[in-house]
């Protein structure tokens, strides 16, 4: 029996008779260094999972989350929603004439009035949303059709927008501000709400148009060029309005300098594209009255006045605010079935198994995108 000797230098790539890295006969080794880190000898701890430890842990977690789930479910069910469809497809709809005769280049606005009745009072703050269906803001070219540098107030991008904005990059030999298909299709219906008093008088409901955008969007991502110059008409004088807009960007809200131009909150909300073709976006907030005894929207008759524009099916929703977040719970498979992926039909069984084993190591964000990818196949 021969005794074998161990030398750590042998593992490090040092061989007898070898010379330095630059000398003749040197052998360059691809072995990693003989260290605890590179040889994966660092101390580690791994729990030993047994039925005696796993089952009680599951039961304890279940007991903790059952009351939390009941609380969220009860709170979610307490939300009051009222939906008004004013698309005007039905010939008996008050907005039918507007939907049939109005086009984006009409010289005069078309107004329709939709009456409705609230059977229950809406208390606390009431959030007013507009909803669209069959409007694919998630289309790849649509999502890319914008210039974030321009929206952030960069003067060079204001006069020379990104080529991603084509074909809404220039108009009349001037750069469009804001450029791109997203800005060009801005939701521009004007909605006003009136309470019909029992004596027949109409009382306008005050709709708050600020505080509807994300704080980071309002104060970080969107800025007007030349922030020191409050005269936006001069700042945007060498630009052109989007093709489908009736007025330039500096006239979105001339009465409020903090809500005009690129920092207009209706514009900011629209520029945050939706992931699905049916979506809704926050439009206005009806703030709770200082008198806690009076509901924000009492039961009775109301009228929704709409200045019509040309878009897909639109819906107005009103919902009350709750102190707890509302969670929409849905059960869906994270991984798509094999028959939903045509590319997998050419793979062998071994490759398919490897693929699904690799899916187990995806991050949460990767699984989220994979879920949407599977749904769109």
């Amino acid at each position: 029996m021969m005794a074998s000797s161990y030398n750590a230098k042998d593992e490090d790539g040092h061989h007898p008779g070898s010379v330095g890295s630059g000398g003749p006969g040197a052998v360059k080794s691809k072995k990693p260094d003989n260290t605890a880190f590179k040889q994966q000898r660092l101390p580690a701890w791994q729990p030993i999972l047994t039925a005696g430890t796993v089952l009680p842990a599951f039961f304890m977690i279940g007991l903790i989350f059952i009351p939390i789930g009941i609380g969220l479910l009860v709170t979610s069910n307490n939300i009051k929603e009222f939906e008004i469809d004013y698309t005007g497809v039905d010939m008996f709809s008050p907005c039918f004439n507007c939907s049939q005769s109005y086009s984006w280049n009409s010289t005069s606005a078309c107004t329709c009035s939709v009456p409705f009745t609230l059977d229950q009072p809406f208390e606390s703050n009431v959030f007013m949303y507009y909803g669209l269906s069959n409007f694919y803001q998630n289309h790849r070219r649509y999502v890319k059709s914008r210039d974030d540098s321009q929206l952030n107030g960069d003067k060079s991008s204001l006069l020379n927008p990104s080529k991603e904005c084509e074909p809404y990059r220039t108009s009349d030999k001037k750069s469009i501000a804001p450029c791109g298909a997203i800005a060009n299709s801005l939701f521009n219906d004007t909605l006003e709400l009136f309470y019909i008093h029992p004596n027949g008088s109409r009382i306008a409901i005050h709709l708050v148009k600020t505080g509807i955008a994300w704080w980071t969007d309002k104060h970080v991502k969107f800025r007007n060029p030349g922030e020191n110059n409050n005269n936006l008409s001069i700042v945007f004088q060498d630009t052109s309005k989007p093709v489908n807009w009736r007025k330039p960007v500096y006239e979105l809200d001339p009465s409020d300098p903090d809500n005009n131009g690129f920092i207009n909150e209706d514009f900011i909300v629209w520029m945050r594209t939706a992931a699905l073709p049916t979506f809704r976006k926050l439009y206005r907030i009806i703030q709770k009255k200082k008198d806690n005894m009076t509901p924000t929207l009492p039961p009775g008759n109301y009228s929704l006045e709409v200045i019509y524009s040309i878009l897909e099916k639109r819906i107005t929703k009103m919902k009350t605010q709750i102190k707890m977040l509302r969670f929409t719970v849905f059960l869906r498979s994270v991984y798509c079935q094999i028959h939903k992926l045509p590319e997998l039909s050419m793979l062998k069984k071994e490759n398919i198994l490897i693929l699904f084993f690799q899916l187990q190591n995806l991050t949460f964000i990767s699984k989220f995108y994979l879920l949407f990818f599977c749904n769109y196949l």
Side-chain angles (χ1 to χ4, degrees):
M1 179 180 295
M2 296 181 61
S4 60
S5 61
Y6 171 80
N7 190 346
K9 292 184 178 181
D10 292 342
E11 284 196 1
D12 294 341
H14 295 81
H15 300 276
S18 64
V19 192
S21 57
V27 179
K28 186 177 181 181
S29 174
K30 295 182 179 180
K31 291 183 180 180
D33 294 337
N34 187 22
T35 62
F37 178 76
K38 291 187 177 181
Q39 295 296 337
Q40 299 184 10
R41 295 196 299 265
L42 292 174
W45 176 82
Q46 183 178 0
I48 300 175
L49 301 179
T50 62
T53 58
V54 173
L55 292 179
F58 272 112
F59 283 119
M60 290 297 297
I61 294 174
L63 292 176
I64 293 173
F65 278 93
I66 285 176
I68 297 177
I70 294 175
L72 292 175
L73 181 63
V74 172
T75 306
S76 178
N77 291 335
N78 287 336
I79 296 177
K80 299 177 183 178
E81 288 192 2
F82 190 86
E83 182 177 308
I84 304 169
D85 188 344
Y86 68 94
T87 310
V89 176
D90 188 357
M91 61 180 304
F92 298 104
S93 172
C95 296
F96 177 76
N97 293 331
C98 290
S99 66
Q100 298 299 314
S101 60
Y102 185 79
S103 62
W104 69 268
N105 57 354
S106 298
T107 56
S108 60
C110 184
T111 305
C112 60
S113 178
V114 182
F116 64 94
T117 302
L118 292 181
D119 298 327
Q120 297 179 349
F122 276 57
E123 300 174 351
S124 188
N125 290 345
V126 179
F127 294 89
M128 190 173 181
Y129 293 81
Y130 63 85
L132 298 175
S133 62
N134 297 327
F135 196 102
Y136 289 82
Q137 275 199 317
N138 56 359
H139 192 281
R140 182 180 62 85
R141 290 190 61 188
Y142 183 90
V143 172
K144 294 174 62 178
S145 185
R146 60 188 293 164
D147 189 342
D148 290 320
S149 297
Q150 185 191 62
L151 299 174
N152 195 244
D154 183 68
K155 291 185 178 180
S156 61
S157 299
L158 180 67
L159 302 177
N160 186 24
S162 170
K163 293 182 180 179
E164 296 286 357
C165 291
E166 295 287 359
Y168 303 103
R169 183 171 178 262
T170 59
S171 176
D172 299 330
K173 297 181 179 180
K174 292 183 178 181
S175 61
I176 296 178
C179 71
I182 307 176
N184 186 68
S185 59
L186 173 69
F187 178 85
N188 58 354
D189 283 2
T190 303
L191 308 177
E192 296 180 350
L193 188 62
F194 295 90
Y195 173 68
I196 310 300
H197 198 271
N199 60 14
S201 60
R202 289 158 49 99
I203 302 174
I205 305 296
H206 179 61
L207 305 178
V208 180
K209 55 187 175 183
T210 57
I212 60 176
W214 290 20
W215 187 93
T216 52
D217 289 349
K218 174 77 173 181
H219 297 90
V220 179
K221 293 185 178 180
F222 291 80
R223 296 178 183 175
N224 284 323
E227 293 184 352
N228 297 329
N229 191 349
N230 293 327
N231 192 345
L232 295 181
S233 60
I234 297 178
V235 175
F236 291 97
Q237 63 181 354
D238 294 328
T239 63
S240 177
K241 68 178 182 63
V243 178
N244 288 357
W245 285 25
R246 293 182 175 274
K247 52 188 177 182
V249 67
Y250 55 83
E251 292 183 3
L252 291 178
D253 191 1
S255 60
D256 186 0
D258 294 330
N259 192 43
N260 198 17
F262 288 162
I263 58 174
N264 178 265
E265 297 202 24
D266 285 328
F267 171 69
I268 294 174
V269 170
W270 178 257
M271 293 299 292
R272 180 169 284 276
T273 54
L276 300 174
T278 299
F279 60 88
R280 62 182 181 181
K281 295 177 181 284
L282 184 59
Y283 181 71
R284 294 291 183 265
I285 301 176
I286 307 174
Q287 292 183 341
K288 181 181 180 181
K289 297 180 180 179
K290 296 181 179 179
D291 182 11
N292 293 329
M293 302 301 295
T294 305
T296 307
L297 292 179
N301 297 322
Y302 291 84
S303 176
L304 179 67
E305 303 291 332
V306 182
I307 300 179
Y308 212 84
S309 69
I310 185 72
L311 278 175
E312 293 294 331
K313 179 179 179 181
R314 63 265 286 177
I315 296 173
T316 300
K317 287 188 177 182
M318 291 180 290
K319 57 183 288 189
T320 57
Q321 182 189 23
I322 56 174
K323 294 183 179 180
M324 296 181 64
L325 292 176
R326 181 184 184 190
F327 287 84
T328 303
V329 181
F330 64 95
L331 297 177
R332 188 172 295 221
S333 175
V334 178
Y335 305 123
C336 49
Q337 299 175 4
I338 296 179
H339 70 271
K340 286 188 176 181
L341 293 175
E343 295 84 350
L344 291 183
S345 60
M346 303 298 296
L347 296 178
K348 298 180 180 179
K349 285 186 177 180
E350 303 88 78
N351 296 337
I352 295 176
L353 291 175
I354 292 174
L355 173 63
F356 279 94
F357 280 127
Q358 289 175 345
L359 289 178
Q360 299 291 341
N361 298 324
L362 290 176
T363 62
F364 174 79
I365 296 177
S366 301
K367 293 177 182 178
F368 181 80
Y369 281 113
L370 180 64
L371 171 62
F372 277 101
F373 172 71
C374 295
N375 289 338
Y376 281 115
L377 289 176

